[in-house]
Amino acid sequence: MQYHIITYGCQMNKSDSERIASVIEKYGLSPAPKKENADLIIINACSVRQSAMDRIYGQIRYLKLKNKKIKIFLTGCLLAKDKEKLRNKTDLIFKIKNLLKLSNFLNQKLKKQISDDYFQISPKYQNKFSAYIPIMTGCNNFCSYCVVPYVRGREYCRSPKKIIKEIKNLIKNGCKQIILLGQNVNSYKSKGVNFPKLLKMINDLKGDFWLAFFTSHPKDLSDELIKTMAKSKKINPYLHLPIQSGDNQILKKMNRKHTAENYENLIKKIRRKIPQIAISTDIIIGFPGETKNQFQNTAELMEKIKFDMAYLNKYSPRQQTAAFKLKDDVSQKEKKRRWAVLNEILKKTALENNQKLIGKTIEVLAEKNNFGRGFNFKDVQFKGDKKLIGKFVKIKITQANPWSLKGELI
Ligand code: SF4
């Protein structure tokens, strides 16, 4: 029996899919070369944006048309309304926490033992040199537009001992890039260990590896964390720090619990301590009631901060959230226009930041024979060699565009 997993959404879902693959294979299933050839499709869904859900409906229609016998299981971050709509279009909907109960539906005998603790399931990592490690799941923040607290529940943190054990094992097996995951890693706390302390514990492990993390909330990003990042030689000088809007009234309606000024001051402080840092963000365009002036505040803040990258999302109402009760009154046409304005600003600032790296030599983790990720998390293209995949290489940067760098191996 062959399976195929289709993953939507964030890195947390990608990491969950690695655990799903591991469990499925312990039942003797093997990966299908193409989704159309699979006997079982597992869709790891994301209800965060309507566009992702629309793609899932289309995907299911397509797969059922291609193969009438195909079985489709659905999991992931799903709102109750989306689950209801998809119930009779799929063979099974299960919560990721119930992954171990899949045995009841697979009609296959277990070939290898599986841990009964979800986070103790050893994932089937996508590659040997880079690994996602969930350190926590869920969120207590209830930003008014976000479904995460409803679909993933409240914050749950893994014990530092178990995280360290997983990472030690990865490093021993040649892993070079550790990426810690959580909806709000800054609020990690378990057995008296907070997030900066956890980073320090990992940083102190022996081995040649880099350490990154997603995602941070500006209200919880402490001086202790900045200090830890600045002191470490292993933590990537890269921070993904969602701002969502540059207007204080909109931030209040979003229940973000920080202001545009707090955010700007935080960025200044981080850049003072870690001058080489690359910063990316998330922005929601056309939140209910966002006026042209309020949008302009976001555009001006983006100009000032000069992000290296920004994920620009047009607002779409999600049931169960507080913002669902507000009128989605910015037209699609206007959202598109605002998106284009912000994208132009981003292109300009990202290019300016990247151009500063021309002539410099940076360390890159080669992911393909002609591509890798720099220590600052920027995409770097170069002429390499298959033998270098999974190794650190030094690249002299010769060209820059907004979204990537080009360079020569030295
Ligand atoms: S911090 Fe806000 S946006 Fe992020 S997961 Fe939690 S509720 Fe959602």
Side-chain angles (χ1 to χ4, degrees):
M1 201 172 168
Q2 294 192 320
Y3 76 94
H4 184 86
I5 301 174
I6 303 173
T7 309
Y8 293 90
C10 64
Q11 285 93 348
M12 193 61 111
N13 266 19
K14 285 182 194 153
S15 166
D16 284 338
S17 288
E18 293 180 342
R19 281 181 163 77
I20 296 171
S22 163
V23 169
I24 294 282
E25 291 191 12
K26 288 197 171 79
Y27 281 97
L29 278 78
S30 56
K34 282 162 116 193
K35 61 184 173 189
E36 291 82 358
N37 302 124
D39 305 289
L40 171 68
I41 296 279
I42 299 188
I43 299 179
N44 192 0
C46 170
S47 278
V48 168
R49 272 181 272 289
Q50 186 56 42
S51 54
M53 287 315 297
D54 293 342
R55 276 188 285 147
I56 290 169
Y57 290 114
Q59 189 69 250
I60 293 174
R61 253 195 318 273
Y62 168 78
L63 290 164
K64 292 260 175 192
L65 259 174
K66 283 271 159 191
N67 177 358
K68 292 209 165 34
K69 287 191 190 147
I70 209 162
K71 280 202 180 313
I72 299 183
F73 288 6
L74 185 67
T75 187
C77 293
L78 280 163
L79 283 169
K81 178 204 74 159
D82 290 323
K83 267 190 213 166
E84 265 332 293
K85 274 193 176 172
L86 287 163
R87 198 164 298 282
N88 57 11
K89 294 185 169 48
T90 53
D91 296 276
L92 175 74
I93 298 182
F94 67 96
K95 282 190 181 163
I96 197 74
K97 281 184 202 151
N98 296 336
L99 177 60
L100 299 162
K101 294 184 187 147
L102 273 188
S103 53
N104 306 340
F105 304 94
L106 283 172
N107 289 332
Q108 302 280 321
K109 281 204 178 126
L110 194 59
K111 303 257 159 68
K112 281 185 193 165
Q113 208 43 49
I114 311 174
S115 165
D116 55 5
D117 171 357
Y118 174 73
F119 281 122
Q120 285 305 99
I121 299 168
S122 176
K124 185 188 177 199
Y125 298 109
Q126 288 304 302
N127 60 54
K128 276 190 81 174
F129 51 85
S130 168
Y132 291 124
I133 316 288
I135 60 165
M136 63 188 296
T137 179
C139 184
N140 298 346
N141 286 318
F142 289 91
C143 299
S144 67
Y145 50 84
C146 181
V147 299
V148 168
Y150 306 96
V151 294
R152 286 211 176 246
R154 303 299 169 274
E155 287 174 3
Y156 165 79
C157 300
R158 288 175 78 187
S159 86
K161 208 171 146 195
K162 287 181 179 166
I163 296 169
I164 296 287
K165 192 176 162 207
E166 187 177 344
I167 294 174
K168 266 188 178 171
N169 207 24
L170 281 160
I171 297 167
K172 203 172 99 194
N173 288 310
C175 186
K176 299 287 179 202
Q177 174 76 72
I178 302 291
I179 304 172
L180 307 180
L181 295 181
Q183 260 78 31
N184 180 16
V185 287
N186 303 146
S187 65
Y188 174 89
K189 201 164 182 66
S190 174
K191 318 245 181 245
V193 175
N194 66 8
F195 187 57
K197 289 208 173 60
L198 179 70
L199 285 179
K200 198 170 170 313
M201 284 162 76
I202 301 168
N203 181 75
D204 291 346
L205 294 175
K206 281 199 189 113
D208 192 15
F209 65 94
W210 291 347
L211 177 59
F213 54 87
F214 300 108
T215 291
S216 296
H217 193 303
K219 77 175 170 56
D220 297 319
L221 202 140
S222 64
D223 289 352
E224 189 189 0
L225 174 59
I226 300 172
K227 215 166 129 194
T228 306
M229 288 180 78
K231 271 172 101 180
S232 165
K233 295 233 161 23
K234 290 176 180 162
I235 299 176
N236 296 86
Y238 167 66
L239 188 65
H240 181 67
L241 194 63
I243 178 154
Q244 307 299 6
S245 169
D247 180 83
N248 287 340
Q249 277 172 316
I250 294 291
L251 284 169
K252 196 154 189 241
K253 277 167 89 176
M254 288 176 165
N255 193 29
R256 288 291 291 172
K257 301 186 186 97
H258 64 83
T259 62
E261 293 76 23
N262 298 149
Y263 187 94
E264 204 187 333
N265 290 335
L266 188 56
I267 297 290
K268 280 186 191 155
K269 201 193 297 180
I270 295 166
R271 284 192 170 136
R272 264 198 310 273
K273 298 272 182 206
I274 316 166
Q276 74 281 26
I277 198 152
I279 296 174
S280 63
T281 197
D282 292 332
I283 292 178
I284 295 175
I285 296 160
F287 187 78
E290 185 188 66
T291 63
K292 287 193 174 161
N293 282 344
Q294 288 172 328
F295 167 72
Q296 196 49 36
N297 287 338
T298 303
E300 281 168 19
L301 193 74
M302 263 192 91
E303 295 255 20
K304 272 201 251 173
I305 290 185
K306 301 185 190 305
F307 289 107
D308 293 87
M309 177 47 83
Y311 300 92
L312 308 172
N313 301 301
K314 294 181 213 98
Y315 173 78
S316 66
R318 309 306 295 134
Q319 267 192 359
Q320 286 180 247
T321 63
F324 189 72
K325 295 184 193 108
L326 305 173
K327 195 167 171 218
D328 181 20
D329 54 359
V330 181
S331 69
Q332 278 307 318
K333 197 174 158 206
E334 179 60 11
K335 281 178 190 162
K336 267 193 195 165
R337 186 194 72 80
R338 293 181 190 183
W339 184 92
V341 171
L342 296 191
N343 197 45
E344 276 311 304
I345 297 170
L346 175 64
K347 256 198 215 164
K348 195 177 85 183
T349 61
L351 179 62
E352 280 169 15
N353 292 346
N354 282 352
Q355 279 172 334
K356 287 182 195 150
L357 295 168
I358 294 178
K360 295 201 168 142
T361 297
I362 63 170
E363 211 172 356
V364 171
L365 175 59
E367 294 185 2
K368 293 182 182 164
N369 60 350
N370 58 357
F371 169 85
R373 199 171 296 276
F375 191 39
N376 52 11
F377 243 66
K378 295 194 183 241
D379 290 353
V380 183
Q381 295 163 31
F382 58 94
K383 273 198 190 128
D385 188 312
K386 267 192 184 161
K387 279 186 229 143
L388 297 175
I389 295 175
K391 296 202 166 80
F392 291 126
V393 291
K394 291 213 187 309
I395 303 289
K396 185 168 182 190
I397 302 302
T398 53
Q399 281 180 54
N401 70 49
W403 319 126
S404 66
L405 300 161
K406 270 191 186 169
E408 287 159 5
L409 197 62
I410 59 165

